[in-house]
Structure formats: structure tokens, C-alpha cells
PDB file of all heavy atoms in Angstrom:
ATOM      1  N   SER C1336      -2.340  -8.634  -3.422  1.00  0.00           N
ATOM      2  CA  SER C1336      -2.352  -7.501  -2.542  1.00  0.00           C
ATOM      3  C   SER C1336      -3.666  -7.339  -1.772  1.00  0.00           C
ATOM      4  O   SER C1336      -4.759  -7.602  -2.489  1.00  0.00           O
ATOM      5  CB  SER C1336      -2.051  -6.189  -3.249  1.00  0.00           C
ATOM      6  OG  SER C1336      -2.238  -5.075  -2.409  1.00  0.00           O
ATOM      7  N   THR C1337      -3.762  -7.198  -0.555  1.00  0.00           N
ATOM      8  CA  THR C1337      -4.892  -7.072   0.259  1.00  0.00           C
ATOM      9  C   THR C1337      -4.761  -5.844   1.075  1.00  0.00           C
ATOM     10  O   THR C1337      -3.800  -5.545   1.738  1.00  0.00           O
ATOM     11  CB  THR C1337      -5.141  -8.230   1.216  1.00  0.00           C
ATOM     12  OG1 THR C1337      -5.053  -9.419   0.442  1.00  0.00           O
ATOM     13  CG2 THR C1337      -6.511  -8.099   1.827  1.00  0.00           C
ATOM     14  N   VAL C1338      -5.801  -4.980   1.024  1.00  0.00           N
ATOM     15  CA  VAL C1338      -5.864  -3.693   1.757  1.00  0.00           C
ATOM     16  C   VAL C1338      -7.119  -3.714   2.725  1.00  0.00           C
ATOM     17  O   VAL C1338      -8.168  -4.090   2.321  1.00  0.00           O
ATOM     18  CB  VAL C1338      -6.101  -2.389   0.824  1.00  0.00           C
ATOM     19  CG1 VAL C1338      -6.095  -1.169   1.694  1.00  0.00           C
ATOM     20  CG2 VAL C1338      -4.922  -2.317  -0.132  1.00  0.00           C
ATOM     21  N   TYR C1339      -6.782  -3.521   3.965  1.00  0.00           N
ATOM     22  CA  TYR C1339      -7.873  -3.486   5.000  1.00  0.00           C
ATOM     23  C   TYR C1339      -7.910  -2.026   5.562  1.00  0.00           C
ATOM     24  O   TYR C1339      -6.824  -1.471   5.844  1.00  0.00           O
ATOM     25  CB  TYR C1339      -7.513  -4.369   6.166  1.00  0.00           C
ATOM     26  CG  TYR C1339      -7.233  -5.766   5.894  1.00  0.00           C
ATOM     27  CD1 TYR C1339      -5.983  -6.351   5.570  1.00  0.00           C
ATOM     28  CD2 TYR C1339      -8.340  -6.617   5.803  1.00  0.00           C
ATOM     29  CE1 TYR C1339      -5.838  -7.610   5.304  1.00  0.00           C
ATOM     30  CE2 TYR C1339      -8.156  -8.064   5.564  1.00  0.00           C
ATOM     31  CZ  TYR C1339      -6.922  -8.606   5.176  1.00  0.00           C
ATOM     32  OH  TYR C1339      -6.778  -9.874   4.890  1.00  0.00           O
ATOM     33  N   ILE C1340      -9.112  -1.472   5.570  1.00  0.00           N
ATOM     34  CA  ILE C1340      -9.235  -0.128   6.177  1.00  0.00           C
ATOM     35  C   ILE C1340     -10.430  -0.138   7.215  1.00  0.00           C
ATOM     36  O   ILE C1340     -11.360  -0.745   7.029  1.00  0.00           O
ATOM     37  CB  ILE C1340      -9.689   0.847   4.894  1.00  0.00           C
ATOM     38  CG1 ILE C1340      -8.602   0.954   3.961  1.00  0.00           C
ATOM     39  CG2 ILE C1340      -9.958   2.230   5.633  1.00  0.00           C
ATOM     40  CD1 ILE C1340      -8.957   1.711   2.745  1.00  0.00           C
ATOM     41  N   LYS C1341      -9.998   0.408   8.311  1.00  0.00           N
ATOM     42  CA  LYS C1341     -10.920   0.494   9.463  1.00  0.00           C
ATOM     43  C   LYS C1341     -10.610   1.773  10.070  1.00  0.00           C
ATOM     44  O   LYS C1341      -9.597   1.961  10.741  1.00  0.00           O
ATOM     45  CB  LYS C1341     -10.739  -0.658  10.453  1.00  0.00           C
ATOM     46  CG  LYS C1341     -11.685  -0.651  11.623  1.00  0.00           C
ATOM     47  CD  LYS C1341     -11.502  -1.923  12.399  1.00  0.00           C
ATOM     48  CE  LYS C1341     -12.631  -1.861  13.476  1.00  0.00           C
ATOM     49  NZ  LYS C1341     -12.649  -3.070  14.279  1.00  0.00           N
ATOM     50  N   GLY C1342     -11.640   2.679  10.012  1.00  0.00           N
ATOM     51  CA  GLY C1342     -11.542   4.019  10.656  1.00  0.00           C
ATOM     52  C   GLY C1342     -10.309   4.815  10.095  1.00  0.00           C
ATOM     53  O   GLY C1342     -10.062   4.734   8.866  1.00  0.00           O
ATOM     54  N   PRO C1343      -9.480   5.302  10.913  1.00  0.00           N
ATOM     55  CA  PRO C1343      -8.288   6.101  10.383  1.00  0.00           C
ATOM     56  C   PRO C1343      -7.078   5.176  10.184  1.00  0.00           C
ATOM     57  O   PRO C1343      -5.953   5.658   9.925  1.00  0.00           O
ATOM     58  CB  PRO C1343      -8.039   7.037  11.552  1.00  0.00           C
ATOM     59  CG  PRO C1343      -8.446   6.354  12.783  1.00  0.00           C
ATOM     60  CD  PRO C1343      -9.674   5.493  12.295  1.00  0.00           C
ATOM     61  N   ARG C1344      -7.267   3.805  10.098  1.00  0.00           N
ATOM     62  CA  ARG C1344      -6.113   2.993   9.995  1.00  0.00           C
ATOM     63  C   ARG C1344      -6.237   2.085   8.750  1.00  0.00           C
ATOM     64  O   ARG C1344      -7.317   1.807   8.265  1.00  0.00           O
ATOM     65  CB  ARG C1344      -5.973   1.972  11.181  1.00  0.00           C
ATOM     66  CG  ARG C1344      -6.014   2.696  12.564  1.00  0.00           C
ATOM     67  CD  ARG C1344      -4.576   2.742  13.137  1.00  0.00           C
ATOM     68  NE  ARG C1344      -4.543   3.612  14.342  1.00  0.00           N
ATOM     69  CZ  ARG C1344      -4.090   3.161  15.423  1.00  0.00           C
ATOM     70  NH1 ARG C1344      -3.584   1.893  15.571  1.00  0.00           N
ATOM     71  NH2 ARG C1344      -3.968   3.937  16.451  1.00  0.00           N
ATOM     72  N   GLU C1345      -5.127   1.818   8.124  1.00  0.00           N
ATOM     73  CA  GLU C1345      -5.109   0.965   6.874  1.00  0.00           C
ATOM     74  C   GLU C1345      -3.939  -0.023   6.991  1.00  0.00           C
ATOM     75  O   GLU C1345      -2.805   0.329   7.329  1.00  0.00           O
ATOM     76  CB  GLU C1345      -4.935   2.066   5.738  1.00  0.00           C
ATOM     77  CG  GLU C1345      -4.672   1.336   4.341  1.00  0.00           C
ATOM     78  CD  GLU C1345      -4.380   2.311   3.293  1.00  0.00           C
ATOM     79  OE1 GLU C1345      -5.253   3.351   3.121  1.00  0.00           O
ATOM     80  OE2 GLU C1345      -3.351   2.114   2.632  1.00  0.00           O
ATOM     81  N   ARG C1346      -4.269  -1.202   6.565  1.00  0.00           N
ATOM     82  CA  ARG C1346      -3.121  -2.190   6.555  1.00  0.00           C
ATOM     83  C   ARG C1346      -3.107  -2.786   5.092  1.00  0.00           C
ATOM     84  O   ARG C1346      -4.100  -3.201   4.515  1.00  0.00           O
ATOM     85  CB  ARG C1346      -3.456  -3.368   7.512  1.00  0.00           C
ATOM     86  CG  ARG C1346      -2.484  -4.547   7.443  1.00  0.00           C
ATOM     87  CD  ARG C1346      -3.008  -5.629   8.445  1.00  0.00           C
ATOM     88  NE  ARG C1346      -2.060  -6.740   8.262  1.00  0.00           N
ATOM     89  CZ  ARG C1346      -1.139  -7.036   9.186  1.00  0.00           C
ATOM     90  NH1 ARG C1346      -0.999  -6.185  10.236  1.00  0.00           N
ATOM     91  NH2 ARG C1346      -0.364  -8.059   9.106  1.00  0.00           N
ATOM     92  N   THR C1347      -1.891  -2.799   4.537  1.00  0.00           N
ATOM     93  CA  THR C1347      -1.764  -3.350   3.085  1.00  0.00           C
ATOM     94  C   THR C1347      -0.784  -4.506   3.314  1.00  0.00           C
ATOM     95  O   THR C1347       0.287  -4.356   3.862  1.00  0.00           O
ATOM     96  CB  THR C1347      -1.108  -2.285   2.256  1.00  0.00           C
ATOM     97  OG1 THR C1347      -1.962  -1.092   2.339  1.00  0.00           O
ATOM     98  CG2 THR C1347      -0.998  -2.776   0.784  1.00  0.00           C
ATOM     99  N   GLU C1348      -1.173  -5.609   2.739  1.00  0.00           N
ATOM    100  CA  GLU C1348      -0.338  -6.862   2.762  1.00  0.00           C
ATOM    101  C   GLU C1348      -0.030  -7.211   1.180  1.00  0.00           C
ATOM    102  O   GLU C1348      -1.042  -7.349   0.511  1.00  0.00           O
ATOM    103  CB  GLU C1348      -1.103  -8.021   3.442  1.00  0.00           C
ATOM    104  CG  GLU C1348      -1.415  -7.806   4.850  1.00  0.00           C
ATOM    105  CD  GLU C1348      -2.192  -8.945   5.452  1.00  0.00           C
ATOM    106  OE1 GLU C1348      -2.589  -9.875   4.737  1.00  0.00           O
ATOM    107  OE2 GLU C1348      -2.370  -8.825   6.703  1.00  0.00           O
ATOM    108  N   GLN C1349       1.162  -7.326   1.011  1.00  0.00           N
ATOM    109  CA  GLN C1349       1.565  -7.782  -0.447  1.00  0.00           C
ATOM    110  C   GLN C1349       2.515  -8.915  -0.517  1.00  0.00           C
ATOM    111  O   GLN C1349       3.403  -8.943   0.385  1.00  0.00           O
ATOM    112  CB  GLN C1349       2.226  -6.491  -1.165  1.00  0.00           C
ATOM    113  CG  GLN C1349       1.256  -5.313  -1.322  1.00  0.00           C
ATOM    114  CD  GLN C1349       1.930  -4.189  -1.901  1.00  0.00           C
ATOM    115  OE1 GLN C1349       3.088  -3.909  -1.728  1.00  0.00           O
ATOM    116  NE2 GLN C1349       1.178  -3.416  -2.732  1.00  0.00           N
ATOM    117  N   THR C1350       2.158  -9.766  -1.498  1.00  0.00           N
ATOM    118  CA  THR C1350       3.058 -10.909  -1.613  1.00  0.00           C
ATOM    119  C   THR C1350       3.819 -10.653  -2.972  1.00  0.00           C
ATOM    120  O   THR C1350       3.227 -10.443  -3.997  1.00  0.00           O
ATOM    121  CB  THR C1350       2.313 -12.176  -1.710  1.00  0.00           C
ATOM    122  OG1 THR C1350       1.441 -12.400  -0.516  1.00  0.00           O
ATOM    123  CG2 THR C1350       3.242 -13.482  -1.859  1.00  0.00           C
ATOM    124  N   LEU C1351       5.160 -10.586  -2.809  1.00  0.00           N
ATOM    125  CA  LEU C1351       5.973 -10.270  -3.973  1.00  0.00           C
ATOM    126  C   LEU C1351       6.315 -11.585  -4.698  1.00  0.00           C
ATOM    127  O   LEU C1351       6.734 -12.632  -4.236  1.00  0.00           O
ATOM    128  CB  LEU C1351       7.332  -9.657  -3.472  1.00  0.00           C
ATOM    129  CG  LEU C1351       7.045  -8.429  -2.612  1.00  0.00           C
ATOM    130  CD1 LEU C1351       8.376  -7.810  -2.161  1.00  0.00           C
ATOM    131  CD2 LEU C1351       6.285  -7.314  -3.436  1.00  0.00           C
ATOM    132  N   PRO C1352       6.180 -11.506  -6.148  1.00  0.00           N
ATOM    133  CA  PRO C1352       6.437 -12.730  -6.946  1.00  0.00           C
ATOM    134  C   PRO C1352       7.913 -13.042  -6.931  1.00  0.00           C
ATOM    135  O   PRO C1352       8.772 -12.289  -6.833  1.00  0.00           O
ATOM    136  CB  PRO C1352       6.035 -12.242  -8.273  1.00  0.00           C
ATOM    137  CG  PRO C1352       6.207 -10.778  -8.279  1.00  0.00           C
ATOM    138  CD  PRO C1352       5.880 -10.321  -6.846  1.00  0.00           C
ATOM    139  N   GLY C1353       8.176 -14.361  -6.904  1.00  0.00           N
ATOM    140  CA  GLY C1353       9.406 -14.892  -7.056  1.00  0.00           C
ATOM    141  C   GLY C1353      10.329 -14.889  -5.895  1.00  0.00           C
ATOM    142  O   GLY C1353      11.328 -15.632  -5.832  1.00  0.00           O
ATOM    143  N   MET C1354       9.989 -14.126  -4.821  1.00  0.00           N
ATOM    144  CA  MET C1354      10.826 -14.013  -3.736  1.00  0.00           C
ATOM    145  C   MET C1354      10.098 -14.694  -2.455  1.00  0.00           C
ATOM    146  O   MET C1354      10.728 -14.751  -1.387  1.00  0.00           O
ATOM    147  CB  MET C1354      11.050 -12.631  -3.473  1.00  0.00           C
ATOM    148  CG  MET C1354      12.049 -11.921  -4.408  1.00  0.00           C
ATOM    149  SD  MET C1354      12.410 -10.254  -3.959  1.00  0.00           S
ATOM    150  CE  MET C1354      10.992  -9.353  -4.696  1.00  0.00           C
ATOM    151  N   ASN C1355       8.925 -15.040  -2.585  1.00  0.00           N
ATOM    152  CA  ASN C1355       8.045 -15.648  -1.541  1.00  0.00           C
ATOM    153  C   ASN C1355       8.267 -14.682  -0.331  1.00  0.00           C
ATOM    154  O   ASN C1355       8.500 -15.182   0.871  1.00  0.00           O
ATOM    155  CB  ASN C1355       8.561 -17.073  -1.162  1.00  0.00           C
ATOM    156  CG  ASN C1355       7.502 -17.727  -0.322  1.00  0.00           C
ATOM    157  OD1 ASN C1355       6.379 -17.365  -0.192  1.00  0.00           O
ATOM    158  ND2 ASN C1355       7.924 -18.858   0.313  1.00  0.00           N
ATOM    159  N   LEU C1356       8.080 -13.424  -0.525  1.00  0.00           N
ATOM    160  CA  LEU C1356       8.223 -12.493   0.480  1.00  0.00           C
ATOM    161  C   LEU C1356       6.785 -11.735   0.753  1.00  0.00           C
ATOM    162  O   LEU C1356       6.266 -11.296  -0.204  1.00  0.00           O
ATOM    163  CB  LEU C1356       9.250 -11.371   0.160  1.00  0.00           C
ATOM    164  CG  LEU C1356       9.528 -10.254   1.059  1.00  0.00           C
ATOM    165  CD1 LEU C1356      10.125 -10.742   2.291  1.00  0.00           C
ATOM    166  CD2 LEU C1356      10.418  -9.186   0.369  1.00  0.00           C
ATOM    167  N   GLN C1357       6.504 -11.563   1.955  1.00  0.00           N
ATOM    168  CA  GLN C1357       5.184 -10.765   2.308  1.00  0.00           C
ATOM    169  C   GLN C1357       5.628  -9.557   2.913  1.00  0.00           C
ATOM    170  O   GLN C1357       6.317  -9.517   3.896  1.00  0.00           O
ATOM    171  CB  GLN C1357       4.284 -11.516   3.066  1.00  0.00           C
ATOM    172  CG  GLN C1357       2.964 -10.745   3.370  1.00  0.00           C
ATOM    173  CD  GLN C1357       2.013 -11.533   4.212  1.00  0.00           C
ATOM    174  OE1 GLN C1357       2.306 -12.621   4.795  1.00  0.00           O
ATOM    175  NE2 GLN C1357       0.813 -11.177   4.136  1.00  0.00           N
ATOM    176  N   MET C1358       5.173  -8.412   2.453  1.00  0.00           N
ATOM    177  CA  MET C1358       5.442  -7.013   2.949  1.00  0.00           C
ATOM    178  C   MET C1358       4.208  -6.516   3.590  1.00  0.00           C
ATOM    179  O   MET C1358       3.046  -6.481   2.844  1.00  0.00           O
ATOM    180  CB  MET C1358       5.914  -6.211   1.875  1.00  0.00           C
ATOM    181  CG  MET C1358       6.398  -4.863   2.334  1.00  0.00           C
ATOM    182  SD  MET C1358       7.316  -3.937   1.089  1.00  0.00           S
ATOM    183  CE  MET C1358       6.056  -2.907   0.447  1.00  0.00           C
ATOM    184  N   VAL C1359       4.121  -5.955   4.682  1.00  0.00           N
ATOM    185  CA  VAL C1359       3.067  -5.343   5.406  1.00  0.00           C
ATOM    186  C   VAL C1359       3.302  -3.941   5.705  1.00  0.00           C
ATOM    187  O   VAL C1359       4.329  -3.610   6.277  1.00  0.00           O
ATOM    188  CB  VAL C1359       2.689  -6.230   6.704  1.00  0.00           C
ATOM    189  CG1 VAL C1359       1.489  -5.482   7.437  1.00  0.00           C
ATOM    190  CG2 VAL C1359       2.484  -7.623   6.326  1.00  0.00           C
ATOM    191  N   THR C1360       2.422  -3.067   5.331  1.00  0.00           N
ATOM    192  CA  THR C1360       2.484  -1.651   5.727  1.00  0.00           C
ATOM    193  C   THR C1360       1.240  -1.291   6.486  1.00  0.00           C
ATOM    194  O   THR C1360       0.091  -1.548   5.911  1.00  0.00           O
ATOM    195  CB  THR C1360       2.630  -0.774   4.457  1.00  0.00           C
ATOM    196  OG1 THR C1360       3.720  -1.160   3.645  1.00  0.00           O
ATOM    197  CG2 THR C1360       2.764   0.662   4.827  1.00  0.00           C
ATOM    198  N   ILE C1361       1.338  -0.585   7.597  1.00  0.00           N
ATOM    199  CA  ILE C1361       0.199  -0.045   8.324  1.00  0.00           C
ATOM    200  C   ILE C1361       0.393   1.433   8.301  1.00  0.00           C
ATOM    201  O   ILE C1361       1.311   1.984   8.740  1.00  0.00           O
ATOM    202  CB  ILE C1361       0.269  -0.663   9.813  1.00  0.00           C
ATOM    203  CG1 ILE C1361       0.167  -2.231   9.723  1.00  0.00           C
ATOM    204  CG2 ILE C1361      -0.858  -0.042  10.666  1.00  0.00           C
ATOM    205  CD1 ILE C1361       0.284  -2.949  11.034  1.00  0.00           C
ATOM    206  N   LYS C1362      -0.784   2.043   7.946  1.00  0.00           N
ATOM    207  CA  LYS C1362      -0.780   3.477   7.939  1.00  0.00           C
ATOM    208  C   LYS C1362      -1.666   3.856   9.035  1.00  0.00           C
ATOM    209  O   LYS C1362      -2.977   3.578   8.972  1.00  0.00           O
ATOM    210  CB  LYS C1362      -1.333   4.017   6.494  1.00  0.00           C
ATOM    211  CG  LYS C1362      -1.286   5.493   6.331  1.00  0.00           C
ATOM    212  CD  LYS C1362      -1.670   5.833   4.942  1.00  0.00           C
ATOM    213  CE  LYS C1362      -0.721   5.347   3.945  1.00  0.00           C
ATOM    214  NZ  LYS C1362       0.322   6.197   3.531  1.00  0.00           N
ATOM    215  N   GLU C1363      -1.192   4.548  10.013  1.00  0.00           N
ATOM    216  CA  GLU C1363      -1.986   5.064  11.155  1.00  0.00           C
ATOM    217  C   GLU C1363      -2.153   6.543  10.960  1.00  0.00           C
ATOM    218  O   GLU C1363      -1.282   7.362  11.463  1.00  0.00           O
ATOM    219  CB  GLU C1363      -1.194   4.737  12.483  1.00  0.00           C
ATOM    220  CG  GLU C1363      -1.092   3.211  12.788  1.00  0.00           C
ATOM    221  CD  GLU C1363      -0.262   2.903  13.981  1.00  0.00           C
ATOM    222  OE1 GLU C1363       0.683   3.588  14.370  1.00  0.00           O
ATOM    223  OE2 GLU C1363      -0.727   1.985  14.735  1.00  0.00           O
ATOM    224  N   CYS C1364      -3.202   6.878  10.296  1.00  0.00           N
ATOM    225  CA  CYS C1364      -3.501   8.320  10.033  1.00  0.00           C
ATOM    226  C   CYS C1364      -3.782   9.191  11.229  1.00  0.00           C
ATOM    227  O   CYS C1364      -3.350  10.295  11.381  1.00  0.00           O
ATOM    228  CB  CYS C1364      -4.644   8.494   9.006  1.00  0.00           C
ATOM    229  SG  CYS C1364      -4.286   7.710   7.414  1.00  0.00           S
ATOM    230  N   ASP C1365      -4.347   8.488  12.293  1.00  0.00           N
ATOM    231  CA  ASP C1365      -4.599   9.266  13.584  1.00  0.00           C
ATOM    232  C   ASP C1365      -3.370   9.523  14.248  1.00  0.00           C
ATOM    233  O   ASP C1365      -3.220  10.521  14.993  1.00  0.00           O
ATOM    234  CB  ASP C1365      -5.601   8.485  14.471  1.00  0.00           C
ATOM    235  CG  ASP C1365      -5.141   7.028  14.765  1.00  0.00           C
ATOM    236  OD1 ASP C1365      -4.249   6.465  13.912  1.00  0.00           O
ATOM    237  OD2 ASP C1365      -5.646   6.501  15.668  1.00  0.00           O
ATOM    238  N   LEU C1366      -2.312   8.672  14.172  1.00  0.00           N
ATOM    239  CA  LEU C1366      -0.991   8.922  14.792  1.00  0.00           C
ATOM    240  C   LEU C1366       0.045   9.547  13.871  1.00  0.00           C
ATOM    241  O   LEU C1366       1.130   9.781  14.232  1.00  0.00           O
ATOM    242  CB  LEU C1366      -0.464   7.603  15.460  1.00  0.00           C
ATOM    243  CG  LEU C1366      -1.363   6.982  16.403  1.00  0.00           C
ATOM    244  CD1 LEU C1366      -0.719   5.707  16.918  1.00  0.00           C
ATOM    245  CD2 LEU C1366      -1.587   7.952  17.585  1.00  0.00           C
ATOM    246  N   ARG C1367      -0.444   9.766  12.603  1.00  0.00           N
ATOM    247  CA  ARG C1367       0.462  10.302  11.557  1.00  0.00           C
ATOM    248  C   ARG C1367       1.776   9.621  11.379  1.00  0.00           C
ATOM    249  O   ARG C1367       2.796  10.210  11.396  1.00  0.00           O
ATOM    250  CB  ARG C1367       0.639  11.841  11.828  1.00  0.00           C
ATOM    251  CG  ARG C1367      -0.672  12.563  11.836  1.00  0.00           C
ATOM    252  CD  ARG C1367      -0.555  14.126  11.756  1.00  0.00           C
ATOM    253  NE  ARG C1367       0.403  14.614  10.803  1.00  0.00           N
ATOM    254  CZ  ARG C1367       0.149  14.751   9.426  1.00  0.00           C
ATOM    255  NH1 ARG C1367      -1.042  14.312   9.040  1.00  0.00           N
ATOM    256  NH2 ARG C1367       1.062  15.266   8.738  1.00  0.00           N
ATOM    257  N   ARG C1368       1.670   8.289  11.142  1.00  0.00           N
ATOM    258  CA  ARG C1368       2.887   7.552  10.957  1.00  0.00           C
ATOM    259  C   ARG C1368       2.572   6.232  10.070  1.00  0.00           C
ATOM    260  O   ARG C1368       1.435   5.839  10.003  1.00  0.00           O
ATOM    261  CB  ARG C1368       3.450   7.112  12.322  1.00  0.00           C
ATOM    262  CG  ARG C1368       2.648   6.135  13.061  1.00  0.00           C
ATOM    263  CD  ARG C1368       3.392   5.863  14.386  1.00  0.00           C
ATOM    264  NE  ARG C1368       2.593   4.831  15.169  1.00  0.00           N
ATOM    265  CZ  ARG C1368       2.949   4.418  16.344  1.00  0.00           C
ATOM    266  NH1 ARG C1368       3.992   4.873  16.761  1.00  0.00           N
ATOM    267  NH2 ARG C1368       2.155   3.428  16.873  1.00  0.00           N
ATOM    268  N   ASP C1369       3.577   5.722   9.510  1.00  0.00           N
ATOM    269  CA  ASP C1369       3.569   4.450   8.731  1.00  0.00           C
ATOM    270  C   ASP C1369       4.402   3.460   9.551  1.00  0.00           C
ATOM    271  O   ASP C1369       5.509   3.809  10.085  1.00  0.00           O
ATOM    272  CB  ASP C1369       4.188   4.678   7.367  1.00  0.00           C
ATOM    273  CG  ASP C1369       3.228   5.384   6.372  1.00  0.00           C
ATOM    274  OD1 ASP C1369       1.937   5.181   6.543  1.00  0.00           O
ATOM    275  OD2 ASP C1369       3.742   6.032   5.546  1.00  0.00           O
ATOM    276  N   ILE C1370       4.014   2.217   9.444  1.00  0.00           N
ATOM    277  CA  ILE C1370       4.838   1.079  10.049  1.00  0.00           C
ATOM    278  C   ILE C1370       4.918   0.087   8.901  1.00  0.00           C
ATOM    279  O   ILE C1370       4.097  -0.271   8.318  1.00  0.00           O
ATOM    280  CB  ILE C1370       4.096   0.424  11.199  1.00  0.00           C
ATOM    281  CG1 ILE C1370       3.756   1.489  12.258  1.00  0.00           C
ATOM    282  CG2 ILE C1370       4.931  -0.668  11.738  1.00  0.00           C
ATOM    283  CD1 ILE C1370       2.924   0.976  13.460  1.00  0.00           C
ATOM    284  N   GLN C1371       6.278  -0.254   8.544  1.00  0.00           N
ATOM    285  CA  GLN C1371       6.539  -1.337   7.601  1.00  0.00           C
ATOM    286  C   GLN C1371       7.041  -2.511   8.434  1.00  0.00           C
ATOM    287  O   GLN C1371       7.952  -2.415   9.204  1.00  0.00           O
ATOM    288  CB  GLN C1371       7.562  -0.759   6.715  1.00  0.00           C
ATOM    289  CG  GLN C1371       7.147   0.357   5.870  1.00  0.00           C
ATOM    290  CD  GLN C1371       8.086   0.861   4.888  1.00  0.00           C
ATOM    291  OE1 GLN C1371       9.361   0.530   4.984  1.00  0.00           O
ATOM    292  NE2 GLN C1371       7.784   1.696   3.976  1.00  0.00           N
ATOM    293  N   ILE C1372       6.451  -3.695   8.034  1.00  0.00           N
ATOM    294  CA  ILE C1372       6.859  -4.825   8.755  1.00  0.00           C
ATOM    295  C   ILE C1372       7.371  -5.909   7.788  1.00  0.00           C
ATOM    296  O   ILE C1372       6.733  -6.209   6.742  1.00  0.00           O
ATOM    297  CB  ILE C1372       5.486  -5.432   9.566  1.00  0.00           C
ATOM    298  CG1 ILE C1372       4.985  -4.348  10.404  1.00  0.00           C
ATOM    299  CG2 ILE C1372       5.876  -6.745  10.255  1.00  0.00           C
ATOM    300  CD1 ILE C1372       3.595  -4.643  11.063  1.00  0.00           C
ATOM    301  N   ASN C1373       8.441  -6.582   8.180  1.00  0.00           N
ATOM    302  CA  ASN C1373       8.930  -7.771   7.518  1.00  0.00           C
ATOM    303  C   ASN C1373       8.878  -8.932   8.549  1.00  0.00           C
ATOM    304  O   ASN C1373       9.817  -9.048   9.320  1.00  0.00           O
ATOM    305  CB  ASN C1373      10.304  -7.522   7.016  1.00  0.00           C
ATOM    306  CG  ASN C1373      10.907  -8.649   6.266  1.00  0.00           C
ATOM    307  OD1 ASN C1373      10.485  -9.794   6.378  1.00  0.00           O
ATOM    308  ND2 ASN C1373      11.928  -8.455   5.473  1.00  0.00           N
ATOM    309  N   ASP C1374       7.800  -9.703   8.432  1.00  0.00           N
ATOM    310  CA  ASP C1374       7.625 -10.715   9.532  1.00  0.00           C
ATOM    311  C   ASP C1374       8.645 -11.786   9.396  1.00  0.00           C
ATOM    312  O   ASP C1374       9.023 -12.318  10.442  1.00  0.00           O
ATOM    313  CB  ASP C1374       6.168 -11.309   9.289  1.00  0.00           C
ATOM    314  CG  ASP C1374       5.774 -12.107  10.504  1.00  0.00           C
ATOM    315  OD1 ASP C1374       6.179 -11.771  11.640  1.00  0.00           O
ATOM    316  OD2 ASP C1374       5.030 -13.087  10.273  1.00  0.00           O
ATOM    317  N   SER C1375       9.085 -12.154   8.139  1.00  0.00           N
ATOM    318  CA  SER C1375      10.080 -13.253   8.048  1.00  0.00           C
ATOM    319  C   SER C1375      11.380 -12.940   8.661  1.00  0.00           C
ATOM    320  O   SER C1375      12.103 -13.825   9.307  1.00  0.00           O
ATOM    321  CB  SER C1375      10.268 -13.687   6.593  1.00  0.00           C
ATOM    322  OG  SER C1375      10.717 -12.560   5.798  1.00  0.00           O
TER     323      SER C1375
END
């Protein structure tokens, strides 16, 4: 898991075991919303 924080924004990238799946969540506190991304 990797968490990046810059100002009011946060990006979390997680690699799930056994499924070769990467999940990305972006928390935009200034816009008061979450974005979940499944790139594959």
C-alpha cells in the first residue's frame, strides 16, 4: 500500500494479494468527495 498526501488531496494505491489487482482511491477533501479507480 502506498499513500500520497499533498495539500487537501490524498491518493491511496493498494495491490491486493492473489488477485493481481490494484485499487486506487483519491480523497479530495477540498471538493468533499472520494474517487475509486479500477484501472484494469
Side-chain angles (χ1 to χ4, degrees):
S1336 177
T1337 307
V1338 178
Y1339 302 92
I1340 299 176
K1341 183 174 184 174
R1344 308 257 172 123
E1345 173 185 308
R1346 177 184 177 100
T1347 304
E1348 299 175 354
Q1349 294 179 326
T1350 304
L1351 304 178
M1354 293 183 272
N1355 197 18
L1356 175 70
Q1357 184 175 14
M1358 190 168 94
V1359 178
T1360 303
I1361 300 173
K1362 187 176 294 272
E1363 297 178 321
C1364 295
D1365 54 339
L1366 300 177
R1367 301 194 43 79
R1368 68 181 184 182
D1369 285 329
I1370 302 172
Q1371 295 177 349
I1372 302 170
N1373 183 339
D1374 194 37
S1375 61

